[in-house]
Amino acid sequence: MRRIVMFNRVSADGCFSAADGGLDWVVPEPALDREAARSLGDADAILFGRRTYEMFESFWPRALDGDSPDAEDPHAPGRRSPELHAMAKWIDDVEKVVFSRTRKEVAWSNSRLLHGIDPAEIEAMKAGPGKDMMIFGSGSVVSELTRHGLIDEYQLVVSPVLLGSGRTLLTEPPAGRELVLAEAKSYPSGNVMLRYLRPE
Amino acid sequence: MRRIVMFNRVSADGCFSAADGGLDWVVPEPALDREAARSLGDADAILFGRRTYEMFESFWPRALDGDSPDAEDPHAPGRRSPELHAMAKWIDDVEKVVFSRTRKEVAWSNSRLLHGIDPAEIEAMKAGPGKDMMIFGSGSVVSELTRHGLIDEYQLVVSPVLLGSGRTLLTEPPAGRELVLAEAKSYPSGNVMLRYLRPE
């Protein structure tokens, strides 16, 4: 059975996104980037909300181009990061499913547009062939899938910052409240990865 | 210098309080209660918002009474919990400072009423004699003290639950965004204690 795995950054005071929608508050952590690059092989699809898809679409194809400044390691300008390139290549290759009521089409390679979230359709995707499916950002998709109990793992990276205002991760009641803590791991940057599983 | 230490429970999806204000979502953890009981001696005052003060006022004096059902260990009904009794005794003994615009007086032993938060007054309290000052709950007090950079340590216990809706910890921009992670510790119940310090 394919699993749906969500990965998101949150602030210590519980915000999933800042009031201005920006991500400049995220505290970088090279060790996390390396671990993420190593685990990419476990998944072969990404589920997107429209906004996150468009953000990814504007960044990652250029990061794949070795001559682009976007291919530089954001933590070490001028250096080409192997993790960044591996991530860009993986994102380009995998199936990208975009949930949007307003987009008419999607042009990025291996992208597919769905006009809404149909739980039965998601269940069928999970029962079909393939590896895990990832979600990055995409708060509305996370909320709606959680309402139907369809997310199997929540990976929350807590940055050591206070935002004071912003949105929480979910906007709808979850199918079930309880989670099972699988891991709590801290990093030199002060980031903490909290990994939760949906109970069986 | 006395420090101000905040202790609060939050959900995995970043809520400090549920939409209904209730606390039935908090996952209990006896090991945390024992550690809290052991560290009570480091503090000799509590800063309160009105609502949390009134909640404490309605519960803890009765828990101090050994014959009251409230003195029973909530995790083992019928058993008198030494941690609960130590906590009740400590709360009764320490100075309780209540910030409220509407209360006219406070009758609970060692309580003192202040009609608003004056940063200079808080600074003077910190510079005066005594041990650390704790804050439990009291979201509005946490928010306002954070806006003035007056909280020295944030202890957040993340329960392994999704609430889907609720309030985040802060409602105002903090004096500074950055925190220093001091500890990330997980417990058998799936709770995780995240302890942050304000940068020097």
Side-chain angles (χ1 to χ4, degrees):
Chain A
M1 189 82 165
R2 303 173 84 185
R3 300 163 69 248
I4 298 183
V5 178
M6 185 224 75
F7 176 101
N8 265 308
R9 309 275 186 161
V10 293
S11 70
D13 59 327
C15 300
F16 149 73
S17 78
D20 65 3
L23 283 168
D24 63 331
W25 54 273
V26 167
V27 174
E29 175 52 68
L32 250 172
D33 296 345
R34 282 193 297 274
E35 289 176 13
R38 274 200 295 274
S39 66
L40 292 180
D42 298 337
D44 64 0
I46 309 175
L47 308 183
F48 281 108
R50 181 186 56 80
R51 272 190 293 265
T52 305
Y53 179 76
E54 289 174 355
M55 206 193 304
F56 270 51
E57 197 178 20
S58 73
F59 176 78
W60 287 103
R62 288 188 293 135
L64 189 59
D65 166 13
D67 293 329
S68 157
D70 288 333
E72 290 180 8
D73 185 339
H75 313 307
R79 192 171 79 85
R80 307 291 164 186
S81 156
E83 289 82 31
L84 199 78
H85 190 267
M87 185 78 179
K89 177 87 173 67
W90 177 81
I91 292 174
D92 204 64
D93 286 348
V94 299
E95 179 181 27
K96 292 170 277 292
V97 180
V98 193
F99 298 98
S100 168
R101 283 184 202 83
T102 54
R103 287 276 294 230
K104 295 281 180 291
E105 53 177 15
V106 283
W108 192 4
S109 55
N110 307 314
S111 290
R112 182 158 72 96
L113 183 63
L114 292 177
H115 288 292
I117 291 180
D118 171 5
E121 192 172 10
I122 306 287
E123 294 278 17
M125 286 164 63
K126 291 177 79 167
K131 300 179 181 179
D132 288 348
M133 298 177 270
M134 297 293 304
I135 308 177
F136 306 102
S138 308
S140 60
V141 173
V142 171
S143 251
E144 198 162 345
L145 292 181
T146 298
R147 183 159 70 88
H148 296 291
L150 288 167
I151 297 186
D152 300 279
E153 181 170 332
Y154 295 83
Q155 300 181 347
L156 293 161
V157 178
V158 186
S159 272
V161 296
L162 299 171
L163 287 179
S165 63
R167 288 196 299 129
T168 48
L169 182 63
L170 304 178
T171 53
E172 302 184 69
R177 273 188 175 183
E178 284 74 29
L179 294 176
V180 176
L181 179 70
E183 186 181 24
K185 181 176 177 182
S186 56
Y187 291 85
S189 54
N191 280 290
V192 178
M193 162 69 92
L194 299 178
R195 211 156 54 75
Y196 295 98
L197 306 178
R198 195 163 50 88
E200 295 293 319
Chain B
M1 188 81 163
R2 302 173 84 186
R3 301 164 67 250
I4 298 184
V5 178
M6 184 222 75
F7 176 101
N8 265 308
R9 308 273 186 163
V10 292
S11 69
D13 59 327
C15 299
F16 149 73
S17 78
D20 66 2
L23 282 169
D24 62 331
W25 55 270
V26 167
V27 174
E29 174 53 68
L32 250 171
D33 296 345
R34 283 193 297 273
E35 290 175 15
R38 275 198 296 274
S39 66
L40 291 180
D42 298 337
D44 64 0
I46 310 176
L47 309 182
F48 281 108
R50 181 186 56 78
R51 271 190 295 264
T52 305
Y53 179 76
E54 290 173 355
M55 204 192 307
F56 270 52
E57 199 177 20
S58 72
F59 175 80
W60 287 103
R62 290 187 294 139
L64 189 60
D65 167 12
D67 294 328
S68 158
D70 288 333
E72 291 180 7
D73 185 337
H75 313 308
R79 194 171 78 83
R80 307 289 163 186
S81 157
E83 289 81 29
L84 198 78
H85 190 268
M87 185 79 179
K89 177 89 173 68
W90 176 81
I91 291 175
D92 204 64
D93 286 348
V94 298
E95 179 181 27
K96 290 169 278 294
V97 181
V98 192
F99 298 99
S100 169
R101 282 184 203 84
T102 54
R103 288 272 298 226
K104 294 282 181 290
E105 53 176 14
V106 283
W108 192 4
S109 57
N110 307 313
S111 290
R112 181 158 72 95
L113 184 63
L114 293 176
H115 288 291
I117 291 180
D118 171 5
E121 194 172 9
I122 306 287
E123 293 277 17
M125 285 165 65
K126 292 178 77 166
K131 301 180 183 180
D132 288 348
M133 297 177 269
M134 296 293 304
I135 308 177
F136 306 101
S138 307
S140 60
V141 174
V142 171
S143 252
E144 196 161 347
L145 291 181
T146 298
R147 183 160 70 88
H148 295 291
L150 288 168
I151 297 187
D152 300 280
E153 180 170 332
Y154 295 83
Q155 300 181 347
L156 293 161
V157 179
V158 187
S159 272
V161 295
L162 299 172
L163 286 180
S165 63
R167 287 196 300 127
T168 48
L169 182 64
L170 304 178
T171 52
E172 301 184 68
R177 276 190 174 184
E178 282 74 31
L179 295 176
V180 176
L181 179 71
E183 186 181 24
K185 181 177 178 181
S186 55
Y187 291 85
S189 54
N191 280 290
V192 178
M193 162 69 92
L194 299 178
R195 211 158 53 76
Y196 296 99
L197 306 178
R198 197 163 48 89
E200 294 292 318

